[in-house]
Amino acid sequence: MRAIAYSKYGHSDVLELVDLPVPKVGPDSVLVAVRAASVNPVDWKVREGYLDGLMDTTFPVVPGWDVAGVVERVGLDTPELSVGDEVYGYVRKDWMHGGTFAQYVAAPVRTLARKPATLSFEEAAAVPLAGLTAFQTIERAGVREGQTVLVHAAAGGVGQFAVQIAAARGARVIGTASARNHEHLSALGAQPVAYGAGLVDDVRALAPDGVDVVLDYGTDDLVGTTRALLRPGGSVASIVDAKARDELGGHYVWVRPSTPDLEALAALIDAGQVRVDVAEVFDLADAAAAHEASQSLHVRGKVVVRV
């Protein structure tokens, strides 16, 4: 099968288009014929070796955790799925080796769900990691109807999903972003505020009594702004700063594969409550360019690779 792989850590130039054996399928896995995969910031961090102390690596590594495709073959005990099912998923395994930037990926059924019916394969591939991250931080923080939620980095890949999911739950959402993304955030259902020294005052102008929940997907001053803005008894969750847990008594979240959560996301998408923003689509052979595009600070929406 055609695949993108790298045999050593490095920049995007270590990515090569190669021919690899079709992966074996374990008893609780299925073989997915990949239609599309997407790039996440963690992909280039893994590629450059930043997670080497956290996860075992077997070279050559096929990168990618997000996937959308069709079940080609089922394992010995996989009653959840059948050949021909259209699926999407966050195929993160226990070690780095067989990812989704390939014609086929062996995926444990716990990492997959049926693809949202209203999305193309390219759009569906843009959802799993970012969408699950947003969904699981919202679950952990206990976001519910009537609350006021502050989302840091609200225009980012995860933040956009968080804004929409929180709004779908009936929460009022305030989102931090650069001025160029304010109109976009408003369209997603958030009240935008700018980063910078005046952030606390700007949020206070919108929510004089403070906020009930802080969701952090990227800010330079999580502790200071949270202590200034979070109401007594409120909750905070972060994917980037352990101080949310260690100093603020909240949650530090590392996203997990979850079929039920993928199913919940699909329901929100098919109901029109969450939309998916794809920035650019590349062919598999251009995976290096896709990685470079994803690393750009100016891209909005997900970068997708069509297989």
Side-chain angles (χ1 to χ4, degrees):
M1 67 172 185
R2 292 197 317 150
I4 295 295
Y6 56 96
S7 296
K8 62 180 180 180
Y9 294 130
H11 298 297
S12 60
D13 58 1
V14 301
L15 298 173
E16 297 180 297
L17 182 64
V18 298
D19 187 49
L20 294 175
V22 174
K24 298 175 182 178
V25 182
D28 62 347
S29 296
V30 298
L31 186 69
V32 177
V34 179
R35 296 290 185 266
S38 72
V39 188
N40 294 284
V42 72
D43 292 321
W44 65 261
K45 294 175 183 177
V46 169
R47 188 199 71 223
E48 295 190 359
Y50 292 111
L51 270 66
D52 187 66
L54 187 64
M55 301 182 72
D56 289 328
T57 301
T58 301
F59 292 112
V61 172
V62 175
W65 286 337
D66 280 347
V67 71
V70 180
V71 175
E72 179 88 1
R73 189 192 317 155
V74 296
L76 296 175
D77 186 18
T78 56
E80 300 92 337
L81 295 170
S82 301
V83 172
D85 284 345
E86 296 184 349
V87 294
Y88 80 138
Y90 170 44
V91 190
R92 194 190 85 213
K93 303 173 184 177
D94 295 329
W95 81 105
M96 295 304 305
H97 179 59
T100 59
F101 278 43
Q103 287 181 291
Y104 297 97
V105 64
V109 292
R110 63 181 172 82
T111 68
L112 299 174
R114 285 174 173 79
K115 180 179 76 68
T118 54
L119 296 186
S120 67
F121 285 111
E122 290 82 5
E123 291 168 329
V127 175
L129 189 152
L132 283 176
T133 302
F135 187 87
Q136 290 172 8
T137 50
I138 284 172
E139 282 282 289
R140 196 81 68 90
V143 174
R144 61 184 183 273
E145 185 176 2
Q147 290 185 319
T148 298
V149 178
L150 174 63
V151 179
H152 288 299
V158 177
Q160 292 186 62
F161 282 109
V163 165
Q164 296 177 86
I165 296 167
R169 291 192 174 198
R172 177 194 181 196
V173 182
I174 300 170
T176 69
S178 59
R180 68 186 179 88
N181 287 315
H182 283 191
E183 184 176 350
H184 178 64
L185 274 188
S186 295
L188 294 179
Q191 294 174 278
V193 295
Y195 295 121
L199 187 149
V200 169
D201 290 338
D202 290 344
V203 174
R204 280 287 184 188
L206 295 173
D209 296 325
V211 301
D212 301 293
V213 179
V214 174
L215 301 175
D216 172 37
Y217 306 117
T219 179
D220 294 331
D221 185 24
L222 175 63
V223 173
T225 57
T226 299
R227 285 178 173 163
L229 294 169
L230 190 64
R231 293 172 180 168
S235 61
V236 55
S238 176
I239 66 168
V240 293
D241 194 340
K243 292 177 183 176
R245 176 194 62 206
D246 300 338
E247 295 188 25
L248 297 171
H251 309 278
Y252 185 42
V253 181
W254 176 270
V255 62
R256 300 178 180 181
S258 169
T259 296
D261 291 352
L262 286 168
E263 291 172 340
L265 280 169
L268 288 169
I269 291 165
D270 287 339
Q273 293 179 292
V274 172
R275 75 188 202 199
V276 181
D277 189 5
V278 173
E280 197 167 359
V281 178
F282 291 82
D283 290 331
L284 182 64
D286 298 322
H291 269 226
E292 291 166 8
S294 181
Q295 285 183 250
S296 168
L297 296 177
H298 303 293
V299 67
R300 187 176 72 198
K302 292 298 291 293
V303 174
V304 173
V305 170
R306 183 189 296 114
V307 179

